[in-house]
Amino acid sequence: MQLLMVEDDIPLATGLKKALQAQGFAVNHLDTGKAALHVIGVEKPDMVILDLGLPDMDGLDVLRAIRRKHVQLPVLLLTARDSVEDKVAGLDCGADDYLAKPFDMVELLARLRVMERRMSRIQTTAINLGNVSLDTVEQRVTLDGQEVELPRREYMLLKSLMENAGRVQTRAVLESRLYSWGEEVSSNALEVHVHHLRKKFGNDFIRTIRGVGYKVGASQE
Ligand code: CA
């Protein structure tokens, strides 16, 4: 799950980033609206946390610009202004949720989980591949009907692969789903996760495409 956080309050952003990373999110942080729109145009994140009071643009204009291209990208607004009018304006512009500062980390995490579930429901529920089934709503994986507990990063990796069954996922794409920019990632971190998944689901479940990446399922080409 790659989360883009657009927030110009650096101490707040730093604290949030740490807390969210501890929950297994890959968090990328930007402090201007223009940079956010650029990045979203190049590499769409899975979810966006957007501060309304940015130095270069009104957050609502950033949100409108996001919505013109990405109707379903989940966006949670953060704001220092806690009035009904602001909330309505945010939701009218297409925000999925709205949180007034100051807020509890627990509250933010709960809202993100709701957005994550809603997003999964729009996309898919269960993805089945051979004897492996992954439910993106329940965030549950089964092998021959038996539940397999996975650490969050292994789950996210398996989900990325299964959502794209039959297509090769490059190392760069997979890593961007699992890690934040600039996060210290050892060069074999992805291999280690793949290794663990293979131990759980069988060596042949994930295939290595030498020099490119990984894939599951039969080729669609
Ligand atoms: Ca601000």
Side-chain angles (χ1 to χ4, degrees):
M1 183 65 51
Q2 195 196 75
L3 224 161
L4 179 66
M5 177 168 43
V6 192
E7 169 61 77
D8 62 316
D9 178 339
I10 303 303
L12 173 67
T14 308
L16 281 182
K17 184 172 172 171
K18 257 194 202 139
L20 291 167
Q21 283 178 331
Q23 296 291 318
F25 288 99
V27 186
N28 296 322
H29 170 233
L30 293 169
D31 57 4
T32 65
K34 281 204 179 75
L37 289 177
H38 172 74
V39 162
I40 291 168
V42 175
E43 188 196 325
K44 190 166 77 82
D46 296 309
M47 290 200 278
V48 178
I49 296 178
L50 176 65
D51 178 33
L52 278 185
L54 293 168
D56 63 330
M57 286 176 78
D58 186 320
L60 287 182
D61 290 332
V62 177
L63 177 58
R64 284 190 196 98
I66 292 174
R67 279 290 169 259
R68 277 197 285 276
K69 286 187 184 150
H70 304 288
V71 178
Q72 294 188 341
L73 176 60
V75 178
L76 172 80
L77 293 182
L78 293 184
T79 179
R81 301 170 280 183
D82 188 17
S83 72
V84 174
E85 290 78 16
D86 284 328
K87 180 169 182 173
V88 169
L91 296 175
D92 275 351
C93 286
D96 294 272
D97 208 344
Y98 183 101
L99 204 52
K101 296 176 189 172
F103 52 83
D104 260 8
M105 194 59 210
V106 178
E107 171 89 32
L108 176 64
L109 288 173
R111 304 289 187 95
L112 291 177
R113 276 197 299 272
V114 170
M115 291 210 313
E116 210 175 344
R117 277 203 297 273
R118 201 182 296 152
M119 180 172 72
S120 296
R121 218 166 284 145
I122 291 167
Q123 291 168 350
T124 40
T125 50
I127 309 169
N128 299 301
L129 194 63
N131 52 357
V132 179
S133 177
L134 183 146
D135 187 320
T136 58
V137 174
E138 305 280 329
Q139 305 203 353
R140 217 169 145 261
V141 179
T142 59
L143 172 67
D144 291 323
Q146 297 291 310
E147 182 157 6
V148 182
E149 294 263 3
L150 294 180
R152 191 169 168 95
R153 281 204 171 123
E154 282 179 37
Y155 171 80
M156 292 313 303
L157 174 58
L158 186 65
K159 179 166 176 265
S160 290
L161 288 167
M162 287 183 70
E163 280 176 340
N164 296 284
R167 292 192 295 270
V168 181
Q169 295 291 287
T170 65
R171 296 180 49 95
V173 163
L174 292 172
E175 282 174 351
S176 79
R177 297 290 135 196
L178 303 183
Y179 299 103
S180 316
W181 298 333
E183 193 173 342
E184 281 289 332
V185 182
S186 64
S187 58
N188 68 343
L190 190 60
E191 279 75 14
V192 171
H193 291 312
V194 169
H195 173 74
H196 286 142
L197 287 173
R198 279 179 174 149
K199 278 199 354 209
K200 289 164 188 164
F201 300 101
N203 272 336
D204 301 333
F205 188 68
I206 300 174
R207 275 184 291 157
T208 303
I209 310 301
R210 200 176 290 274
V212 185
Y214 295 99
K215 83 169 178 180
V216 297
S219 288
Q220 289 180 346
E221 291 92 85

